[in-house]
Amino acid sequence: MKQAITGFHAVEERVRRAVDSNNTAGIELYYTKAGPRIKKILEVAKESGIKTAAVTERELSVLVQNLPESARDHRGLVMLVEDSQKKALNLVDFDGWIAEQKLFPDKSATVIILDSVTDPHNVGAIIRSCDQFGCDLVVVPSRRGAGDTIGSEIVARSSAGAVAYVPVAVVTNLTRSAQQLKDAGFWIYGADAGGENVQKIDFSAKSAIIMGSEGSGMGKLVKEQCDTIVSIPTCGNIDSLNVSVAAGVLLYERYRQFLSK
């Protein structure tokens, strides 16, 4: 059985990676009327021997009927891939990654820890920001959080394909993982209201930023691992930023400081 993928960014990125790796077997593209964006994708696919076929709108709707509702908006293009290609994640072993960091104590690194962030759209958007601002690792819990959805097509689509590039570690205990990061020389920053203004923060060379859920924030034990609580100054009428937007702001500030040094 094959997996359906929608979203121009996600499809385009899968095609590009398949072409670069010379591994296009098992990939199929189905489309209705081809606009400029679809024509560009089809052109690359056909040159690489990927199967393409024009079908009806109804046939495309059938291909995506088992996807989550938010992923059924195919916009005239659906990719089918073998199940083995479904979870194209850049998964890494956390303990091994930490061991490597200890070998290079002077090397800069940025880590994002997602505590109780469950919305796959937010997870994907955060990973997209991680790709753009040079984050070295995303850490997610295996249960009751991003680990439940990290391999989903919603995350892949929301990240615009960045899940294939940003290293992700799935761990069983975020508190223990935060302590391991501290032992490896990382300074832990927790994003929460009432913290120090991010504009006054001088991020450490090895920085780990914890993002909690919009509803409950960071868990108590995870928050206790933080060396600094950091906040983003705003001027709006509602309480807070969306967690993916907040993560993007913090990652940009970390990246900006890194470039200026």
Side-chain angles (χ1 to χ4, degrees):
M1 185 174 179
K2 293 194 173 184
Q3 172 73 21
I5 298 173
T6 59
F8 291 160
H9 280 299
V11 171
E12 196 169 33
E13 185 58 34
R14 289 291 183 96
V15 169
R16 193 189 70 76
R17 283 192 286 111
V19 172
D20 288 348
S21 63
N22 196 29
N23 182 23
T24 58
I27 299 177
E28 302 169 3
L29 290 178
Y30 296 93
Y31 63 96
T32 53
K33 293 181 180 180
R37 185 73 177 274
I38 294 178
K39 285 181 179 179
K40 181 181 177 181
I41 296 172
L42 292 176
E43 188 175 305
V44 174
K46 290 175 181 178
E47 288 177 356
S48 305
I50 293 174
K51 177 183 176 181
T52 65
V55 296
T56 65
E57 186 80 17
R58 182 177 180 181
E59 287 173 306
L60 283 188
S61 296
V62 170
L63 291 177
V64 301
Q65 64 184 353
N66 292 324
L67 292 179
E69 187 174 353
S70 59
R72 294 177 199 162
D73 180 18
H74 51 70
R75 297 171 63 190
L77 179 68
V78 176
M79 170 184 275
L80 294 186
V81 297
E82 299 291 348
D83 279 347
S84 60
Q85 292 175 293
K86 183 173 72 171
K87 295 184 179 180
L89 291 171
N90 187 4
L91 289 176
V92 300
D93 175 69
F94 183 74
D95 291 338
W97 192 89
I98 286 291
E100 183 178 340
Q101 291 299 308
K102 290 181 177 179
L103 292 175
F104 303 97
D106 298 326
K107 182 181 177 182
S108 295
T110 305
V111 174
I112 279 279
I113 301 173
L114 303 185
D115 179 23
S116 304
V117 180
T118 57
D119 187 330
H121 297 94
N122 283 334
V123 174
I126 291 170
I127 291 175
R128 185 172 184 175
S129 291
C130 288
D131 174 67
Q132 291 298 294
F133 298 127
C135 182
D136 298 278
L137 182 68
V138 177
V139 180
V140 300
S142 58
R143 298 180 60 192
R144 295 188 295 275
D148 295 328
T149 60
I150 193 68
S152 72
E153 289 305 324
I154 298 178
V155 170
R157 185 176 182 179
S158 299
S159 76
V163 290
Y165 299 102
V166 178
V168 175
V170 181
V171 301
T172 57
N173 189 316
L174 285 182
T175 302
R176 177 177 177 272
S177 298
Q179 183 60 57
Q180 287 178 272
L181 284 163
K182 294 174 80 168
D183 293 342
F186 281 79
W187 193 265
I188 311 295
Y189 302 88
D192 205 357
E196 190 170 351
N197 187 329
V198 66
Q199 295 174 333
K200 298 179 180 179
I201 294 288
D202 183 13
F203 280 100
S204 171
K206 289 186 181 295
S207 295
I209 303 171
I210 303 177
M211 305 301 302
S213 71
E214 290 179 86
S216 57
M218 292 177 283
K220 182 174 181 284
L221 294 178
V222 172
K223 191 172 183 177
E224 288 175 353
Q225 291 293 326
C226 296
D227 298 299
T228 301
I229 299 298
V230 59
S231 298
I232 300 168
T234 58
C235 61
N237 297 308
I238 59 176
D239 290 341
S240 63
L241 294 169
N242 171 280
V243 64
S244 65
V245 175
V249 172
L250 295 174
L251 283 167
Y252 170 74
E253 178 59 23
R254 165 74 175 109
Y255 177 67
R256 185 193 67 78
Q257 290 185 19
F258 177 78
L259 289 179
S260 65
K261 292 180 179 179

